[in-house]
Amino acid sequence: MKKDTSNTIKRAQRFPVILIGEGLLVGAVSGLVVMFYRIALTYAGEWLNEILAFIKGHPLRILVWFAVLILLALIVGRLVKWEPMISGSGIPQVEGEVLGKLKEDWKRVLPAKFIGGFLCLFGGLSLGREGPSIQLGAMGGQGVSRLLDRGKTEERYLMTCGASAGLAAAFHAPLAGMMFALEEIHKGFSVSLLVSVMTASVTADYICSHIMGIDPVFQFELDRFLPQELYWTLLLLGVLLGLMGALYNKVMTKAQDLYKKPEFLNETSRLVIAFLAAGVLGLLMPSVLGSGSNLIVSLTDGEMVLTLVLLTFVVKFLFSAVSFGSGAPGGIFFPLLILGALIGGAFAMVGVEFFGMDPGYINNFVLLSMAGFFTAIVRAPITGIILLFEMSGSVSQMLSLAIVSVVAYITATLVKSEPIYESLLNRLIAGQEKASGTGKAENAGRKTSGSAGGQKVLSEFVIMSGSVLEDRTVMEIHWPKNCLLVALERDGKEIIPRGKTRLMAGDRLTVMTDERDAGYIHDKLENLCYTSF
C-alpha cells in the first residue's frame, strides 16, 4: 500500500469510517489476548497460594521454593534482556510510541510480556495486570496494523484502540478503558478516534465478560450514601492522598535509581532480589504478595484492625517499590489502588475510633481513596472516577469521588509531583539517549536537519484559549522545521490553511511530518497550542 503524502491525506479523510471497522477487529484481537492473560494470572495466583500452603513449616520445601524463585528470576531476566521494552508497566512504552518517541516490535513484546508478567505474578511480586494488559492490547493493535499494512498514522490510532481494549478487558471497565486511552495514552480527542476507541473497548469487554462473567472487580457492600455533613472529611482525605501520591511517585522512581546504582547489578540480579523478597514475605506476610485483591476483601469485610491496616500499608508500599524498581514486567496500577484502599480504610478507622464516625461508612472511604490516590499518582481524574464506579458497580458515590479526586489532583500538582507515567517515559527516553550516546540537544538538532525519515505521519492538536497561536495568522507563527500544516477544522468545518488565515481558540490543526521527527514535532506543537509564551 502506498504511504506517500497524498495517500496519507486521502486515507485520513476516510478515517471516521475506516477506524470503526478496524477498531472492532482490534478490540476482538486485543480482548482475546488480555482475556487469556487474565486466565493465566488467575492460575498463577492459585498455584502460588497452594505452594505457600505446601511449604509452610517444611525447611527443605522452603529451600526448594527459593531455588525455584531464583530460576524464575533468571528466566524473566533473560526475557527483559532479549526485549527491554517489556520492563516495567508497559504504559510509558505505549505512550512513547503513540507520541513517536519510542519503537516496539509486537512480535517480540507480546510473547515476552505475556510470559514475563505471568512468571512475576506466579513468583508473588507486588505487581498488577493492568499495565501489561494495556501494552498487550496495544501490541495487538500494532500487529493488526502491520498485518493489514497500514500507515504509521493509522497504526497509532489502532494502538490506542488496543490499549483501550486491554484495560477494558482487564478490569471489565469499557468506559475507563476508553477514557484512559484518550486521556493518558493518546493525549487528544477527535471524533474518528473516539468512536473507534469506544468500539474496541466495548468489543473487548463483551468478549471477556461473556467468558469470564460480568461481576465487577470489587464486590463489597456500598449501599450507604456519605452524608453531606461529612463532606469536610473529603477535603482532608484529598489532601492526604495528594501528598501520599507524590511520595509514592518519588519512592518508585528512587527505587529504580537505587537498583541501578551498584554497577554489579544487571537486569537479572535486580530481579533475583525482588523474587527473593517475595519468597521471604510469602513466609512472613503472604497477604501482600501479588496484586493484593485479597486485601480489599479483608478490609471491606471488617477483618482488619487499624494497626494491621497501617502495617500492611507500609509493607505493601515498600514491597511494591522493590518489585517495580527491579524492572520486572508488571504494572503498578492495581497495587496502587490497593494502597489507596488501605489509606482510606485507615483514615475511616481513625474517624470511627477517635471521632465517633459511623463504621458503616468505612467502605465508602475505601472506594473514594482508591480514586483519589490514582488521580494523585497518574493525574488522570476522569479516568479514575469512571474506573472506580465501573470496578465497584456503584454510581451513587460520583459527587464524593469527584471531590476527593479534584482535591488530590490539586494537592499533587501544588507539591510539583510529576505524573508517574510521564516521569517513567522521560526516564526511559533519557536512558535510551544515554545508551545510544546522543544527548537531547544533539538529538533535537538532528531532527531539524531537514533530512527525510520514514513514512509520513499526521498529528492533531487543538489550540487552547490564551496560547501563543490564538489570534495570529499562519504566516506569523514560527513553525518547527520538517512539519506541514495540512488542515484546519473550525466548528466542524474544514478550512484550507493559508498564510493569512487567522487562528482561533478551539481550532483543530492537522500537521504532517516524517515518522522520525514525530516525537520532536509533537512536543513543539504542544507548546505552541497549549502555552501562552
Side-chain angles (χ1 to χ4, degrees):
M1 186 179 76
K2 292 182 179 179
K3 302 181 184 70
D4 57 15
T5 301
S6 61
N7 181 268
T8 301
I9 295 174
K10 287 178 182 178
R11 189 164 180 83
Q13 293 171 345
R14 302 195 299 273
F15 272 175
V17 177
I18 294 170
L19 288 176
I20 293 175
E22 292 181 341
L24 185 68
L25 178 59
V26 170
V29 171
S30 298
L32 284 171
V33 171
V34 174
M35 183 192 70
F36 286 124
Y37 186 65
R38 277 186 65 178
I39 293 172
L41 295 191
T42 300
Y43 280 113
E46 291 175 355
W47 294 343
L48 175 62
N49 291 333
E50 291 175 3
I51 288 171
L52 292 177
F54 178 71
I55 67 173
K56 189 175 182 180
H58 297 80
L60 183 59
R61 294 176 184 176
I62 292 173
L63 287 175
V64 172
W65 175 236
F66 272 78
V68 171
L69 288 174
I70 293 174
L71 177 62
L72 293 177
L74 294 175
I75 296 172
V76 176
R78 288 298 294 261
L79 287 171
V80 172
K81 193 171 183 178
W82 178 67
E83 180 47 69
M85 281 296 174
I86 70 168
S87 178
S89 164
I91 294 176
Q93 289 90 324
V94 174
E95 182 181 330
E97 179 152 13
V98 170
L99 296 179
K101 299 178 179 181
L102 296 174
K103 287 187 178 182
E104 299 172 275
D105 182 355
W106 69 278
K107 292 180 182 178
R108 293 165 63 94
V109 172
L110 207 154
K113 190 75 170 191
F114 194 108
I115 297 170
F118 168 78
L119 294 179
C120 286
L121 267 294
F122 177 54
L125 271 62
S126 181
L127 300 168
R129 65 175 182 251
E130 71 307 313
S133 295
I134 289 170
Q135 189 175 22
L136 290 172
M139 290 301 96
Q142 187 189 81
V144 169
S145 173
R146 295 190 179 176
L147 290 174
L148 296 177
D149 194 25
R150 299 305 189 225
K152 276 296 176 181
T153 302
E154 205 163 334
E155 180 176 297
R156 288 174 183 173
Y157 282 174
L158 296 184
M159 286 184 64
T160 303
C161 290
S164 170
L167 183 57
F171 283 152
H172 183 38
L175 290 178
M178 179 185 72
M179 284 308 305
F180 185 80
L182 296 173
E183 191 176 21
E184 180 62 30
I185 300 295
H186 205 87
K187 298 186 183 299
F189 296 80
S190 67
V191 175
S192 56
L193 180 62
L194 178 65
V195 176
S196 60
V197 166
M198 185 186 303
T199 302
S201 187
V202 171
T203 302
D205 181 57
Y206 174 78
I207 291 172
C208 201
S209 60
H210 182 70
I211 297 173
M212 302 191 70
I214 60 174
D215 293 331
V217 175
F218 297 134
Q219 300 180 44
F220 54 85
E221 292 185 12
L222 200 69
D223 50 9
R224 300 184 64 177
F225 293 95
L226 191 70
Q228 291 193 355
E229 55 264 27
L230 288 179
Y231 271 31
W232 63 272
T233 61
L234 301 181
L235 302 179
L236 296 179
L237 180 61
V239 172
L240 174 63
L241 292 169
L243 296 174
M244 292 303 296
L247 176 64
Y248 178 92
N249 288 356
K250 192 175 184 65
V251 170
M252 291 301 140
T253 54
K254 190 67 175 175
Q256 290 184 327
D257 294 336
L258 289 175
Y259 269 111
K260 292 176 182 177
K261 216 169 231 184
E263 294 182 2
F264 59 86
L265 288 180
N266 56 22
E267 296 93 340
T268 303
S269 51
R270 293 170 197 151
L271 288 163
V272 169
I273 294 173
F275 274 90
L276 290 180
V280 173
L281 288 172
L283 300 175
L284 302 177
M285 200 173 185
S287 62
V288 301
L289 298 182
S291 60
S293 56
N294 57 311
L295 290 173
I296 292 289
V297 177
S298 300
L299 181 62
T300 55
D301 285 351
E303 299 173 3
M304 301 176 73
V305 296
L306 179 58
T307 51
L308 180 58
V309 172
L310 293 174
L311 175 62
T312 303
F313 173 81
V314 172
V315 176
K316 181 72 174 174
F317 188 100
L318 295 176
F319 183 41
S320 295
V322 171
S323 299
F324 182 72
S326 69
I332 58 173
F333 204 111
F334 201 91
L336 74 83
L337 292 180
I338 303 303
L339 290 171
L342 292 170
I343 294 173
F347 182 89
M349 288 177 183
V350 169
V352 170
E353 193 165 330
F354 298 102
F355 301 100
M357 191 178 76
D358 189 336
Y361 297 124
I362 290 179
N363 288 3
N364 295 69
F365 282 96
V366 168
L367 179 71
L368 297 174
S369 293
M370 285 192 278
F373 199 53
F374 172 86
T375 299
I377 292 169
V378 180
R379 224 62 61 79
I382 300 175
T383 298
I385 294 169
I386 294 174
L387 177 67
L388 266 299
F389 92 69
E390 284 190 305
M391 290 179 72
S392 65
S394 172
V395 297
S396 62
Q397 315 294 320
M398 287 296 288
L399 178 58
S400 46
L401 276 171
I403 292 172
V404 170
S405 296
V406 169
V407 174
Y409 183 96
I410 293 172
T411 303
T413 303
L414 288 177
V415 297
K416 302 186 186 309
S417 173
E418 188 179 10
I420 186 67
Y421 293 125
E422 288 186 18
S423 174
L424 294 173
L425 175 58
N426 291 334
R427 293 165 71 88
L428 187 60
I429 294 171
Q432 288 199 344
E433 289 177 348
K434 184 178 179 181
S436 62
T438 59
K440 288 185 177 180
E442 181 185 346
N443 198 40
R446 179 182 62 80
K447 289 185 179 295
T448 58
S449 63
S451 58
Q455 299 178 26
K456 303 301 178 185
V457 178
L458 295 177
S459 301
E460 293 184 339
F461 302 89
V462 178
I463 299 176
M464 297 290 107
S465 178
S467 76
V468 293
L469 297 186
E470 185 182 10
D471 201 33
R472 297 177 67 183
T473 63
V474 172
M475 69 173 62
E476 292 175 337
I477 306 300
H478 182 63
W479 300 96
K481 294 179 181 179
N482 295 349
C483 80
L484 175 67
L485 178 62
V486 297
L488 189 157
E489 184 181 306
R490 181 179 297 163
D491 299 328
K493 298 178 182 179
E494 188 171 325
I495 300 172
I496 298 176
R498 305 181 188 278
K500 294 183 179 180
T501 302
R502 190 165 294 277
L503 303 176
M504 298 172 59
D507 286 352
R508 182 178 295 277
L509 309 179
T510 301
V511 174
M512 176 179 284
T513 185
D514 291 324
E515 176 190 351
R516 192 197 66 177
D517 297 329
Y520 166 77
I521 297 298
H522 179 275
D523 291 345
K524 290 294 184 181
L525 264 295
E526 267 204 340
N527 285 334
L528 287 173
C529 289
Y530 302 149
T531 60
S532 56
F533 53 87

